[in-house]
Every structure is written in structure tokens, then in C-alpha cells.
Coordinates of all heavy atoms in Angstrom, one line a residue:
M298 N 3.2 -5.7 -31.9 CA 3.3 -4.5 -31.1 C 4.8 -4.2 -30.9 O 5.6 -4.9 -30.3 CB 2.7 -4.8 -29.7 CG 3.2 -4.0 -28.6 SD 2.6 -4.4 -26.9 CE 2.3 -6.1 -26.9
N299 N 5.2 -3.1 -31.4 CA 6.5 -2.5 -31.2 C 6.4 -1.2 -30.6 O 5.6 -0.3 -31.0 CB 7.2 -2.3 -32.6 CG 7.7 -3.6 -33.2 OD1 7.8 -4.6 -32.4 ND2 7.9 -3.7 -34.4
A300 N 7.2 -1.0 -29.5 CA 7.2 0.3 -28.8 C 8.6 0.6 -28.4 O 9.4 -0.3 -28.3 CB 6.3 0.2 -27.6
K301 N 8.9 1.9 -28.2 CA 10.3 2.2 -27.8 C 10.2 3.0 -26.5 O 9.2 3.7 -26.2 CB 10.9 3.1 -28.9 CG 11.2 2.4 -30.2 CD 12.0 3.3 -31.1 CE 12.3 2.5 -32.4 NZ 13.0 3.3 -33.3
T302 N 11.2 2.9 -25.7 CA 11.3 3.6 -24.5 C 12.8 3.9 -24.2 O 13.7 3.3 -24.9 CB 10.7 2.8 -23.3 OG1 10.6 3.6 -22.1 CG2 11.4 1.5 -23.0
K303 N 13.1 4.7 -23.2 CA 14.5 5.0 -22.9 C 14.9 4.4 -21.5 O 14.0 4.4 -20.6 CB 14.7 6.5 -22.8 CG 14.7 7.2 -24.2 CD 15.0 8.7 -24.0 CE 14.9 9.3 -25.4 NZ 15.3 10.8 -25.3
L304 N 16.1 4.1 -21.4 CA 16.7 3.6 -20.1 C 16.9 4.9 -19.3 O 17.7 5.7 -19.7 CB 17.9 2.8 -20.3 CG 18.5 2.2 -19.1 CD1 17.6 1.2 -18.4 CD2 19.8 1.5 -19.5
E305 N 16.3 5.0 -18.2 CA 16.4 6.2 -17.3 C 17.5 6.0 -16.3 O 18.1 4.9 -16.2 CB 15.1 6.5 -16.7 CG 14.0 6.8 -17.7 CD 12.6 7.1 -17.1 OE1 12.5 7.1 -15.8 OE2 11.7 7.3 -17.8
S306 N 17.7 7.0 -15.4 CA 18.7 6.9 -14.4 C 18.4 5.7 -13.5 O 17.2 5.3 -13.3 CB 18.8 8.2 -13.6 OG 17.5 8.4 -12.9
A307 N 19.4 5.1 -12.9 CA 19.3 4.0 -12.0 C 18.7 2.8 -12.7 O 18.2 1.9 -12.0 CB 18.5 4.4 -10.7
G308 N 18.8 2.7 -14.0 CA 18.3 1.5 -14.7 C 16.8 1.4 -14.9 O 16.3 0.4 -15.2
K309 N 16.1 2.5 -14.6 CA 14.6 2.4 -14.7 C 14.2 2.5 -16.2 O 14.8 3.2 -17.0 CB 14.0 3.6 -13.9 CG 14.2 3.5 -12.5 CD 13.5 4.7 -11.8 CE 13.8 4.6 -10.3 NZ 13.1 5.7 -9.6
V310 N 13.1 1.7 -16.5 CA 12.5 1.7 -17.8 C 11.0 1.9 -17.6 O 10.4 1.3 -16.8 CB 12.7 0.3 -18.5 CG1 12.0 0.3 -19.8 CG2 14.2 0.0 -18.7
Q311 N 10.5 2.9 -18.3 CA 9.1 3.2 -18.3 C 8.4 2.5 -19.5 O 8.8 2.8 -20.7 CB 8.8 4.7 -18.3 CG 7.3 5.0 -18.1 CD 7.1 6.5 -17.8 OE1 8.0 7.2 -17.6 NE2 5.8 6.9 -17.8
L312 N 7.5 1.7 -19.3 CA 6.8 1.0 -20.4 C 5.6 1.9 -20.9 O 4.9 2.5 -20.0 CB 6.3 -0.4 -20.0 CG 7.4 -1.3 -19.5 CD1 6.8 -2.6 -19.0 CD2 8.4 -1.6 -20.6
P313 N 5.3 1.9 -22.2 CA 4.2 2.7 -22.7 C 2.9 2.2 -22.1 O 2.7 1.0 -21.9 CB 4.3 2.5 -24.2 CG 5.7 2.1 -24.5 CD 6.1 1.4 -23.2
K314 N 2.0 3.2 -21.9 CA 0.7 2.9 -21.3 C -0.1 1.8 -22.1 O -0.7 0.9 -21.5 CB -0.1 4.1 -21.1 CG -1.4 3.9 -20.4 CD -2.2 5.2 -20.3 CE -3.5 5.0 -19.6 NZ -4.3 6.2 -19.5
D315 N -0.1 2.0 -23.4 CA -0.9 1.0 -24.2 C -0.3 -0.4 -24.1 O -1.1 -1.4 -24.2 CB -1.0 1.5 -25.7 CG 0.4 1.7 -26.3 OD1 1.3 2.0 -25.6 OD2 0.4 1.5 -27.6
V316 N 1.0 -0.5 -24.0 CA 1.6 -1.8 -23.8 C 1.2 -2.4 -22.5 O 0.8 -3.6 -22.4 CB 3.1 -1.8 -23.9 CG1 3.8 -3.1 -23.6 CG2 3.5 -1.3 -25.3
L317 N 1.2 -1.6 -21.4 CA 0.8 -2.1 -20.1 C -0.6 -2.6 -20.1 O -1.0 -3.6 -19.6 CB 1.0 -1.0 -19.1 CG 2.5 -0.6 -18.8 CD1 2.5 0.6 -17.9 CD2 3.3 -1.7 -18.2
E318 N -1.5 -1.8 -20.7 CA -2.9 -2.1 -20.8 C -3.1 -3.4 -21.6 O -3.9 -4.3 -21.2 CB -3.7 -1.0 -21.4 CG -3.8 0.2 -20.5 CD -4.5 1.4 -21.1 OE1 -4.7 1.4 -22.3 OE2 -4.7 2.4 -20.4
Q319 N -2.5 -3.5 -22.7 CA -2.6 -4.7 -23.6 C -2.2 -6.0 -22.9 O -2.8 -7.0 -23.0 CB -1.9 -4.5 -24.9 CG -2.1 -5.7 -25.9 CD -1.5 -5.4 -27.2 OE1 -0.8 -4.4 -27.4 NE2 -1.7 -6.3 -28.1
L320 N -1.1 -5.9 -22.1 CA -0.6 -7.1 -21.4 C -1.3 -7.3 -20.0 O -1.1 -8.3 -19.4 CB 0.9 -6.9 -21.2 CG 1.7 -6.9 -22.5 CD1 3.2 -6.6 -22.2 CD2 1.5 -8.2 -23.2
G321 N -2.1 -6.3 -19.6 CA -2.7 -6.4 -18.3 C -1.8 -6.2 -17.1 O -2.1 -6.6 -16.0
F322 N -0.7 -5.5 -17.3 CA 0.2 -5.2 -16.2 C -0.4 -4.0 -15.4 O -0.9 -3.0 -16.0 CB 1.6 -4.8 -16.7 CG 2.3 -6.0 -17.2 CD1 3.5 -5.8 -18.0 CD2 1.9 -7.3 -17.0 CE1 4.2 -6.9 -18.5 CE2 2.6 -8.4 -17.5 CZ 3.8 -8.2 -18.3
E323 N -0.3 -4.0 -14.1 CA -0.8 -2.9 -13.3 C 0.3 -2.3 -12.4 O 1.3 -3.0 -12.1 CB -1.9 -3.4 -12.4 CG -3.1 -3.9 -13.2 CD -4.2 -4.5 -12.4 OE1 -4.1 -4.4 -11.1 OE2 -5.2 -5.0 -12.9
P324 N 0.2 -1.1 -12.0 CA 1.2 -0.5 -11.1 C 1.3 -1.3 -9.8 O 0.4 -1.8 -9.3 CB 0.6 0.9 -10.8 CG -0.3 1.2 -11.9 CD -0.9 -0.1 -12.3
G325 N 2.6 -1.5 -9.4 CA 2.9 -2.2 -8.2 C 3.0 -3.7 -8.4 O 3.3 -4.5 -7.5
Q326 N 2.6 -4.2 -9.6 CA 2.6 -5.6 -9.9 C 4.1 -6.1 -10.0 O 4.9 -5.4 -10.5 CB 1.9 -5.9 -11.2 CG 1.9 -7.4 -11.5 CD 1.0 -7.6 -12.8 OE1 0.6 -6.7 -13.4 NE2 0.8 -8.9 -13.1
V327 N 4.4 -7.3 -9.4 CA 5.7 -7.8 -9.5 C 5.9 -8.5 -10.8 O 5.0 -9.3 -11.3 CB 6.0 -8.8 -8.3 CG1 7.3 -9.5 -8.4 CG2 5.9 -8.1 -7.0
L328 N 7.0 -8.3 -11.5 CA 7.4 -8.9 -12.7 C 8.7 -9.6 -12.6 O 9.6 -9.1 -11.9 CB 7.4 -7.9 -13.9 CG 6.1 -7.1 -14.1 CD1 6.4 -6.0 -15.2 CD2 5.0 -8.0 -14.6
E329 N 8.9 -10.7 -13.3 CA 10.2 -11.4 -13.3 C 10.9 -10.8 -14.5 O 10.4 -10.5 -15.6 CB 10.0 -12.9 -13.6 CG 9.5 -13.6 -12.3 CD 9.4 -15.1 -12.6 OE1 9.5 -15.6 -13.7 OE2 9.3 -15.8 -11.6
V330 N 12.2 -10.5 -14.3 CA 13.1 -10.1 -15.4 C 14.0 -11.3 -15.8 O 14.8 -11.7 -15.0 CB 14.0 -8.9 -14.9 CG1 14.9 -8.4 -16.1 CG2 13.1 -7.7 -14.4
V331 N 13.8 -11.7 -17.0 CA 14.5 -12.9 -17.5 C 15.5 -12.6 -18.6 O 15.0 -12.2 -19.7 CB 13.5 -14.0 -18.0 CG1 14.2 -15.3 -18.4 CG2 12.4 -14.3 -16.9
P332 N 16.8 -12.7 -18.4 CA 17.7 -12.4 -19.4 C 17.6 -13.5 -20.5 O 17.4 -14.6 -20.2 CB 19.1 -12.5 -18.7 CG 18.8 -12.5 -17.3 CD 17.4 -13.0 -17.1
S333 N 17.8 -13.0 -21.8 CA 17.8 -14.0 -22.9 C 18.8 -13.6 -23.9 O 19.4 -12.5 -23.8 CB 16.4 -14.0 -23.5 OG 16.2 -12.9 -24.3
A334 N 19.1 -14.4 -24.9 CA 20.1 -14.1 -25.9 C 19.8 -12.9 -26.7 O 20.6 -12.2 -27.1 CB 20.3 -15.3 -26.8
R335 N 18.5 -12.5 -26.8 CA 18.1 -11.4 -27.6 C 17.7 -10.2 -26.8 O 17.2 -9.2 -27.3 CB 16.9 -11.8 -28.5 CG 17.3 -12.9 -29.5 CD 16.2 -13.3 -30.4 NE 15.9 -12.2 -31.2 CZ 14.8 -12.1 -32.0 NH1 13.9 -13.1 -31.9 NH2 14.6 -11.1 -32.8
G336 N 17.8 -10.2 -25.5 CA 17.5 -9.1 -24.6 C 16.9 -9.6 -23.3 O 17.5 -10.5 -22.7
I337 N 15.8 -9.0 -22.9 CA 15.2 -9.4 -21.6 C 13.7 -9.6 -21.9 O 13.1 -9.1 -22.8 CB 15.4 -8.3 -20.5 CG1 14.7 -7.0 -20.9 CG2 16.8 -8.1 -20.1 CD1 14.6 -6.0 -19.7
L338 N 13.2 -10.5 -21.0 CA 11.7 -10.8 -21.0 C 11.1 -10.4 -19.7 O 11.7 -10.7 -18.6 CB 11.6 -12.3 -21.2 CG 10.2 -12.9 -21.0 CD1 9.2 -12.4 -22.1 CD2 10.2 -14.4 -21.0
L339 N 10.0 -9.6 -19.7 CA 9.3 -9.3 -18.5 C 8.1 -10.2 -18.5 O 7.3 -10.3 -19.4 CB 8.9 -7.8 -18.5 CG 10.0 -6.8 -18.5 CD1 9.4 -5.4 -18.5 CD2 10.8 -6.9 -17.2
R340 N 7.8 -10.9 -17.3 CA 6.7 -11.7 -17.2 C 6.2 -11.8 -15.8 O 6.9 -11.5 -14.9 CB 7.0 -13.1 -17.7 CG 7.9 -13.9 -16.9 CD 8.2 -15.3 -17.4 NE 9.1 -16.0 -16.5 CZ 9.8 -17.0 -16.9 NH1 9.6 -17.5 -18.1 NH2 10.6 -17.6 -16.0
R341 N 4.9 -12.1 -15.7 CA 4.3 -12.4 -14.4 C 5.0 -13.6 -13.8 O 5.2 -14.6 -14.5 CB 2.8 -12.6 -14.5 CG 2.0 -11.4 -14.9 CD 0.6 -11.8 -15.0 NE -0.2 -10.7 -15.7 CZ -0.3 -10.5 -17.0 NH1 0.3 -11.4 -17.8 NH2 -0.9 -9.5 -17.5
P342 N 5.3 -13.6 -12.5 CA 5.8 -14.9 -11.9 C 4.7 -16.0 -12.0 O 3.5 -15.7 -11.9 CB 6.0 -14.5 -10.4 CG 6.0 -13.0 -10.4 CD 5.2 -12.5 -11.5
F343 N 5.2 -17.2 -12.1 CA 4.3 -18.3 -12.1 C 3.7 -18.4 -10.8 O 4.3 -18.4 -9.7 CB 5.0 -19.6 -12.5 CG 5.5 -19.6 -13.9 CD1 6.8 -19.5 -14.2 CD2 4.6 -19.7 -15.0 CE1 7.3 -19.5 -15.5 CE2 5.0 -19.7 -16.3 CZ 6.3 -19.6 -16.6
A344 N 2.4 -18.6 -10.7 CA 1.7 -18.8 -9.5 C 1.2 -20.2 -9.3 O 0.8 -20.9 -10.2 CB 0.4 -17.9 -9.5
K345 N 1.4 -20.7 -8.1 CA 0.9 -22.1 -7.8 C -0.6 -22.1 -7.8 O -1.2 -21.1 -7.3 CB 1.5 -22.6 -6.5 CG 3.0 -22.7 -6.5 CD 3.5 -23.3 -5.3 CE 5.0 -23.6 -5.4 NZ 5.5 -24.3 -4.2
S346 N -1.2 -23.1 -8.2 CA -2.7 -23.2 -8.3 C -3.3 -23.5 -6.9 O -4.5 -23.2 -6.7 CB -3.1 -24.3 -9.3 OG -2.7 -25.6 -8.7
G347 N -2.5 -24.0 -6.0 CA -3.0 -24.4 -4.7 C -3.7 -25.7 -4.7 O -4.2 -26.2 -3.7
R348 N -3.7 -26.4 -5.9 CA -4.3 -27.7 -5.9 C -3.3 -28.8 -5.6 O -2.1 -28.6 -5.8 CB -4.9 -28.0 -7.4 CG -5.9 -26.9 -7.7 CD -6.5 -27.1 -9.1 NE -5.7 -27.8 -10.0 CZ -6.1 -28.1 -11.3 NH1 -7.2 -27.6 -11.7 NH2 -5.3 -28.7 -12.1
R349 N -3.8 -29.9 -5.0 CA -3.0 -31.0 -4.7 C -2.5 -31.7 -5.9 O -3.3 -31.8 -6.9 CB -3.7 -32.0 -3.8 CG -4.1 -31.4 -2.4 CD -4.9 -32.3 -1.5 NE -5.7 -33.3 -2.3 CZ -5.7 -34.6 -2.0 NH1 -5.1 -35.1 -1.0 NH2 -6.5 -35.4 -2.7
T350 N -1.3 -32.3 -5.9 CA -0.8 -33.1 -7.0 C -1.7 -34.2 -7.4 O -2.0 -34.4 -8.6 CB 0.6 -33.6 -6.7 OG1 1.5 -32.5 -6.3 CG2 1.2 -34.4 -7.8
E351 N -2.3 -34.9 -6.4 CA -3.2 -36.0 -6.7 C -4.4 -35.6 -7.5 O -4.9 -36.3 -8.4 CB -3.6 -36.7 -5.4 CG -2.5 -37.3 -4.6 CD -1.7 -36.4 -3.8 OE1 -2.1 -35.2 -3.6 OE2 -0.6 -36.8 -3.3
D352 N -4.9 -34.4 -7.2 CA -6.1 -33.9 -7.9 C -5.8 -33.5 -9.3 O -6.5 -33.8 -10.2 CB -6.7 -32.6 -7.2 CG -7.2 -33.0 -5.8 OD1 -7.5 -34.1 -5.5 OD2 -7.2 -32.0 -4.9
V353 N -4.6 -32.9 -9.5 CA -4.2 -32.6 -10.9 C -4.0 -33.9 -11.7 O -4.4 -34.0 -12.9 CB -2.9 -31.7 -10.9 CG1 -2.4 -31.5 -12.3 CG2 -3.1 -30.4 -10.2
L354 N -3.3 -34.9 -11.1 CA -3.1 -36.1 -11.8 C -4.4 -36.8 -12.1 O -4.6 -37.4 -13.2 CB -2.2 -37.0 -11.0 CG -0.7 -36.6 -10.9 CD1 0.0 -37.5 -9.9 CD2 -0.1 -36.6 -12.3
A355 N -5.4 -36.8 -11.2 CA -6.7 -37.4 -11.5 C -7.4 -36.7 -12.7 O -8.0 -37.4 -13.5 CB -7.6 -37.2 -10.3
E356 N -7.2 -35.4 -12.8 CA -7.8 -34.7 -14.0 C -7.1 -35.1 -15.3 O -7.7 -35.3 -16.3 CB -7.7 -33.2 -13.9 CG -8.7 -32.6 -12.9 CD -8.6 -31.1 -12.8 OE1 -8.3 -30.5 -13.9 OE2 -8.8 -30.5 -11.7
I357 N -5.7 -35.3 -15.2 CA -5.0 -35.7 -16.4 C -5.4 -37.1 -16.8 O -5.6 -37.4 -18.0 CB -3.5 -35.7 -16.1 CG1 -3.0 -34.2 -16.0 CG2 -2.7 -36.3 -17.2 CD1 -1.6 -34.0 -15.5
R358 N -5.6 -38.0 -15.8 CA -6.0 -39.4 -16.1 C -7.4 -39.4 -16.8 O -7.6 -40.3 -17.6 CB -6.0 -40.2 -14.8 CG -4.6 -40.5 -14.4 CD -4.7 -41.5 -13.2 NE -3.4 -41.7 -12.6 CZ -2.9 -41.1 -11.5 NH1 -3.7 -40.3 -10.8 NH2 -1.7 -41.3 -11.1
K359 N -8.3 -38.5 -16.5 CA -9.6 -38.4 -17.2 C -9.4 -38.1 -18.7 O -10.1 -38.6 -19.5 CB -10.5 -37.4 -16.5 CG -10.9 -37.7 -15.2 CD -11.8 -36.6 -14.6 CE -12.1 -36.9 -13.1 NZ -12.8 -35.7 -12.6
I360 N -8.4 -37.3 -19.0 CA -8.2 -36.8 -20.4 C -7.4 -37.9 -21.1 O -7.7 -38.2 -22.3 CB -7.4 -35.5 -20.4 CG1 -8.2 -34.4 -19.7 CG2 -7.0 -35.1 -21.8 CD1 -7.5 -33.1 -19.4
V361 N -6.4 -38.4 -20.5 CA -5.5 -39.4 -21.2 C -6.0 -40.8 -20.9 O -6.0 -41.3 -19.8 CB -4.0 -39.3 -20.7 CG1 -3.2 -40.3 -21.4 CG2 -3.5 -37.9 -21.0
K362 N -6.6 -41.4 -21.9 CA -7.3 -42.7 -21.7 C -6.3 -43.8 -22.0 O -6.2 -44.2 -23.2 CB -8.5 -42.9 -22.5 CG -9.5 -41.7 -22.3 CD -10.5 -42.1 -21.3 CE -11.6 -41.0 -21.3 NZ -12.0 -40.5 -20.1
Y363 N -5.5 -44.4 -21.1 CA -4.6 -45.5 -21.3 C -5.2 -46.7 -20.5 O -5.3 -46.6 -19.3 CB -3.2 -45.2 -20.8 CG -2.3 -46.3 -21.0 CD1 -1.8 -46.7 -22.2 CD2 -1.8 -47.0 -19.9 CE1 -1.0 -47.8 -22.4 CE2 -0.9 -48.1 -20.0 CZ -0.5 -48.5 -21.3 OH 0.3 -49.5 -21.4
E364 N -5.5 -47.7 -21.2 CA -6.1 -48.9 -20.5 C -5.2 -50.1 -20.5 O -5.6 -51.2 -20.2 CB -7.4 -49.2 -21.2 CG -8.4 -48.1 -21.0 CD -9.7 -48.4 -21.7 OE1 -10.0 -49.5 -22.2 OE2 -10.6 -47.4 -21.8
G365 N -3.9 -49.9 -20.8 CA -3.0 -51.0 -20.9 C -2.4 -51.3 -19.5 O -2.8 -50.7 -18.5
P366 N -1.4 -52.1 -19.4 CA -0.8 -52.4 -18.1 C 0.0 -51.2 -17.6 O 0.4 -50.4 -18.4 CB 0.1 -53.6 -18.5 CG 0.5 -53.4 -19.9 CD -0.8 -52.8 -20.5
A367 N 0.3 -51.2 -16.3 CA 1.1 -50.2 -15.7 C 2.5 -50.3 -16.3 O 3.0 -51.4 -16.5 CB 1.1 -50.3 -14.2
V368 N 3.1 -49.2 -16.6 CA 4.5 -49.2 -17.2 C 5.4 -48.6 -16.2 O 5.2 -47.4 -15.7 CB 4.5 -48.4 -18.5 CG1 5.9 -48.4 -19.1 CG2 3.5 -48.9 -19.5
P369 N 6.5 -49.3 -15.8 CA 7.5 -48.7 -14.9 C 8.1 -47.4 -15.4 O 8.3 -47.3 -16.7 CB 8.6 -49.8 -14.8 CG 7.9 -51.0 -15.3 CD 6.9 -50.6 -16.3
V370 N 8.5 -46.5 -14.6 CA 9.0 -45.2 -15.0 C 10.3 -45.4 -15.8 O 10.6 -44.7 -16.7 CB 9.4 -44.4 -13.7 CG1 10.1 -43.1 -14.1 CG2 8.1 -44.0 -13.0
E371 N 11.1 -46.4 -15.4 CA 12.3 -46.7 -16.2 C 12.1 -46.9 -17.7 O 12.8 -46.5 -18.5 CB 13.1 -47.9 -15.6 CG 13.6 -47.6 -14.1 CD 12.5 -47.8 -13.1 OE1 11.4 -48.4 -13.4 OE2 12.7 -47.4 -12.0
E372 N 11.0 -47.6 -17.9 CA 10.6 -47.9 -19.3 C 10.1 -46.7 -20.0 O 10.3 -46.5 -21.2 CB 9.6 -49.1 -19.4 CG 10.2 -50.4 -19.1 CD 9.2 -51.5 -19.3 OE1 8.4 -51.4 -20.3 OE2 9.2 -52.5 -18.5
L373 N 9.5 -45.8 -19.3 CA 9.0 -44.5 -19.9 C 10.2 -43.6 -20.3 O 10.1 -42.9 -21.3 CB 8.1 -43.8 -19.0 CG 6.7 -44.4 -18.7 CD1 6.0 -43.6 -17.6 CD2 5.9 -44.5 -20.0
S374 N 11.2 -43.6 -19.5 CA 12.3 -42.8 -19.7 C 13.1 -43.2 -21.0 O 13.5 -42.4 -21.8 CB 13.3 -42.8 -18.5 OG 12.6 -42.3 -17.4
F375 N 13.3 -44.5 -21.1 CA 14.1 -45.0 -22.3 C 13.3 -46.2 -22.9 O 13.8 -47.4 -22.7 CB 15.5 -45.4 -21.9 CG 16.3 -44.3 -21.3 CD1 16.4 -44.1 -19.9 CD2 16.8 -43.3 -22.1 CE1 17.1 -43.1 -19.4 CE2 17.5 -42.2 -21.6 CZ 17.7 -42.1 -20.2
P376 N 12.2 -46.0 -23.5 CA 11.4 -47.2 -23.9 C 12.1 -47.9 -25.1 O 12.7 -47.3 -25.9 CB 10.1 -46.6 -24.4 CG 10.4 -45.2 -24.7 CD 11.5 -44.8 -23.8
S377 N 12.0 -49.2 -25.1 CA 12.5 -50.0 -26.2 C 11.5 -50.1 -27.3 O 10.3 -50.1 -27.0 CB 13.0 -51.3 -25.7 OG 11.9 -52.0 -25.2
P378 N 11.9 -50.4 -28.5 CA 10.9 -50.6 -29.6 C 9.9 -51.8 -29.2 O 8.8 -51.8 -29.6 CB 11.7 -50.9 -30.8 CG 13.0 -50.3 -30.5 CD 13.2 -50.3 -29.0
E379 N 10.5 -52.8 -28.5 CA 9.7 -54.0 -28.2 C 8.5 -53.6 -27.2 O 7.4 -54.1 -27.3 CB 10.5 -55.0 -27.5 CG 11.5 -55.7 -28.4 CD 12.8 -54.8 -28.6 OE1 13.1 -54.0 -27.7 OE2 13.4 -54.9 -29.7
H380 N 8.8 -52.6 -26.4 CA 7.8 -52.2 -25.4 C 6.5 -51.6 -26.1 O 5.4 -52.0 -25.8 CB 8.3 -51.1 -24.5 CG 7.3 -50.4 -23.7 ND1 6.7 -51.0 -22.6 CD2 6.6 -49.3 -23.8 CE1 5.8 -50.2 -22.1 NE2 5.7 -49.1 -22.8
W381 N 6.7 -50.9 -27.2 CA 5.6 -50.2 -27.8 C 4.9 -51.2 -28.7 O 3.8 -51.0 -29.1 CB 6.1 -49.0 -28.6 CG 6.7 -48.0 -27.7 CD1 8.0 -47.6 -27.6 CD2 6.0 -47.3 -26.7 NE1 8.2 -46.7 -26.6 CE2 7.0 -46.5 -26.0 CE3 4.7 -47.2 -26.3 CZ2 6.6 -45.6 -25.0 CZ3 4.4 -46.3 -25.2 CH2 5.3 -45.6 -24.6
R382 N 5.5 -52.3 -29.1 CA 4.8 -53.3 -29.9 C 4.0 -54.3 -29.0 O 3.3 -55.1 -29.5 CB 5.9 -54.1 -30.7 CG 6.4 -53.3 -31.9 CD 7.2 -54.2 -32.8 NE 8.2 -53.4 -33.4 CZ 9.5 -53.4 -33.1 NH1 10.0 -54.3 -32.3 NH2 10.4 -52.6 -33.7
R383 N 4.3 -54.3 -27.7 CA 3.7 -55.2 -26.8 C 2.2 -55.1 -26.8 O 1.6 -54.0 -26.7 CB 4.3 -55.0 -25.4 CG 3.8 -55.9 -24.3 CD 4.6 -55.8 -23.1 NE 4.4 -54.4 -22.5 CZ 5.1 -53.9 -21.6 NH1 6.1 -54.6 -21.1 NH2 4.9 -52.7 -21.1
E384 N 1.4 -56.2 -26.8 CA 0.0 -56.1 -26.7 C -0.5 -55.9 -25.2 O 0.1 -56.5 -24.3 CB -0.6 -57.5 -27.2 CG -0.4 -57.7 -28.7 CD -1.1 -56.7 -29.6 OE1 -2.2 -56.3 -29.2 OE2 -0.5 -56.2 -30.5
P385 N -1.5 -55.1 -25.0 CA -2.0 -54.9 -23.6 C -2.6 -56.1 -23.0 O -3.0 -57.0 -23.7 CB -3.0 -53.8 -23.7 CG -3.2 -53.5 -25.2 CD -2.2 -54.3 -26.0

């Protein structure tokens, strides 16, 4: 999708209707403006899910099946080759 628009007075930019529809942007919606090396990125702000951290971690544990011993965080950050060869 390539579209062109003009920078209007006071720095306003009007996005083409078909682009807005394709991205699901609506009038009055808040967008984040993120500068990048190649220009700017417009995106919806990240929204918090409202779920507790413990609930999210419980869901992850259901997906990731690790049945070995508990591993200290320090070893996860900089694991040694011996750690990964260790039998559970």
C-alpha cells in the first residue's frame, strides 16, 4: 500500500480514507507518533490487557512444558555450556 499526502499548515497530515479503513483507524482515535531512521510510524498505543501477571505466567507455563529442576535467574541470563548438558 503506497499513498501520498501533503503536509498542511501547523504540521497537519491528512491520511487517505482507504488507508484509514484498511488499518482500522477511526476519527478521534489516539495514535502514537514514533520517529524512526526512515521517517515516522503511526500506531495505536499499546493497551494493557488488565490481566494479572500471575495469570499470564500460568498460561505461558501451560504452553512451555519444562519438567526439569528450577533454574536460578542468574543462570538464565548467562548460562554456561555445562548447565545445558546437565541431566534433569
